[in-house]
Amino acid sequence: MRSRALLVLALAACDRPTPLVVCHNANCAEPVNPEADDTIEAMRESLALESDGRPTIDGMELDSILRDADNACLFAHDFDQLNPAPAIESANELAAFFARTGPISYGDRPFRIELELKASTSDVPLKRHTPEQRMIHAQCAWELYSILSESASANGRTIEVFFASFSPELLAALVASRPEITLAPVAYSALQGIPKPLDAETRPLDDYGGLPITAVEVHSQWFSDAQYEAIRSRDLELGFFMFSATAETFAQVEQFQPTMVVTSEATLFRRWIAW
């Protein structure tokens, strides 16, 4: 059924969109296995994907979490992930990828890195971290940025780093602690997923007022025309994130033309773009 639906979409398309294909949760090899999200093993497998003799992806999403018990900064998708690696290991892995020979992305645009900072604490869902904890988390994120930007510079790679979060407060901590010198371009992105009352994590764009966000990344299957108009009225870049793509997902990409898709199915998306 999916194959027939995609074929209909492909035949109907006049101008195929060419969004950046960014690896969701550092885990975009197929078949999709969410249990491998934000693990070093899945990240290595994803970085090894190839299409037409080049890397399949144009970028990578790395998640970070600040653990309550000891304020450890971890490479993890949620707070109950078993044996998460320190966040610095994910940056070191990607830095080593920049040192390899050959291209690091499918296209010629800068390799996009999305550093997502998770906002909630583990003991009480959606309880916000303290200002001190947010600053610790922000400093961790800047440490990851430093590793990535220095490796890119040393190896002649062009990258861009987007700091993303569902939490305006975390983005504010990032802005406040930004170092004076940054080697690679830096941007900030709001995240919007499943709307209230189904989920309490998504915040309205007005909550990001005063922050220098330049992009909004939305869940492709929970995206409305009203959201689109709000994003465009603020002249913000639009990105989609998703887990398993459907025929509706591809139709949304064709309609709204996001700059990037953050996907768990990188090979599928790359084939669709090339179709």
Side-chain angles (χ1 to χ4, degrees):
M1 290 295 291
R2 173 187 280 186
S3 297
R4 286 200 294 270
L6 291 183
L7 180 59
V8 170
L9 284 174
L11 294 174
C14 297
D15 297 311
R16 174 70 68 219
T18 56
L20 295 170
V21 176
V22 176
C23 186
H24 191 207
N25 299 332
N27 177 28
C28 54
E30 299 168 42
V32 175
N33 177 18
E35 292 185 3
D37 284 354
D38 293 302
T39 59
I40 297 299
E41 294 78 9
M43 184 178 178
R44 288 173 180 164
E45 187 176 358
S46 300
L47 290 171
L49 293 173
E50 290 192 356
S51 300
D52 305 318
R54 297 179 66 90
T56 296
I57 61 175
D58 299 303
M60 179 72 68
E61 179 192 42
L62 305 178
D63 292 335
S64 64
I65 280 176
L66 191 73
R67 186 167 58 198
D68 303 333
D70 55 4
N71 286 337
C73 190
L74 304 173
F75 178 47
H77 185 256
D78 51 46
F79 288 88
D80 57 3
Q81 184 168 322
L82 296 176
N83 302 316
I88 196 171
E89 289 189 18
S90 66
N92 287 335
E93 194 71 30
L94 196 50
F97 177 70
F98 295 157
R100 56 170 271 176
T101 58
I104 60 171
S105 65
Y106 185 86
D108 296 323
R109 290 174 286 183
F111 188 90
R112 178 167 293 197
I113 304 165
E114 180 169 311
L115 298 179
E116 181 184 344
L117 283 68
K118 301 288 186 177
S120 304
T121 64
S122 56
D123 54 346
V124 180
L126 297 182
K127 174 185 174 184
R128 305 300 170 186
H129 279 129
T130 66
E132 293 76 15
Q133 287 175 311
R134 288 197 290 269
M135 191 58 68
I136 292 170
H137 199 171
Q139 290 168 350
C140 168
W142 283 115
E143 182 180 6
L144 304 184
Y145 166 87
S146 178
I147 292 169
L148 296 167
S149 61
E150 289 176 8
S151 174
S153 177
N155 291 287
R157 307 298 193 178
T158 304
I159 67 171
E160 55 186 2
V161 178
F162 276 69
F163 291 106
S165 183
F166 283 95
S167 166
E169 294 82 7
L170 260 176
L171 291 182
L174 282 161
V175 173
S177 58
R178 178 170 177 163
E180 292 185 8
I181 299 175
T182 52
L183 294 176
V186 173
Y188 305 93
S189 176
L191 294 176
Q192 293 192 315
I194 300 173
K196 296 180 180 179
L198 300 177
D199 187 274
E201 193 170 32
T202 294
R203 307 273 291 276
L205 284 181
D206 287 346
D207 285 6
Y208 295 84
L211 293 172
I213 63 169
T214 59
V216 181
E217 186 183 327
V218 303
H219 194 311
S220 62
Q221 293 173 331
W222 294 92
F223 186 53
S224 66
D225 289 344
Q227 275 181 292
Y228 178 76
E229 294 302 326
I231 291 167
R232 289 307 189 206
S233 69
R234 292 168 168 81
D235 196 27
L236 299 171
E237 177 184 322
L238 171 65
F240 280 172
F241 74 90
M242 64 204 68
F243 294 90
S244 294
T246 65
E248 289 76 16
T249 303
F250 293 98
Q252 290 276 74
V253 173
E254 290 195 323
Q255 178 180 355
F256 294 108
Q257 303 279 313
T259 301
M260 68 171 181
V261 292
V262 184
T263 176
S264 302
E265 299 169 297
T267 299
L268 173 65
F269 241 98
R270 179 61 63 203
R271 289 173 177 167
W272 178 78
I273 291 171
W275 218 340

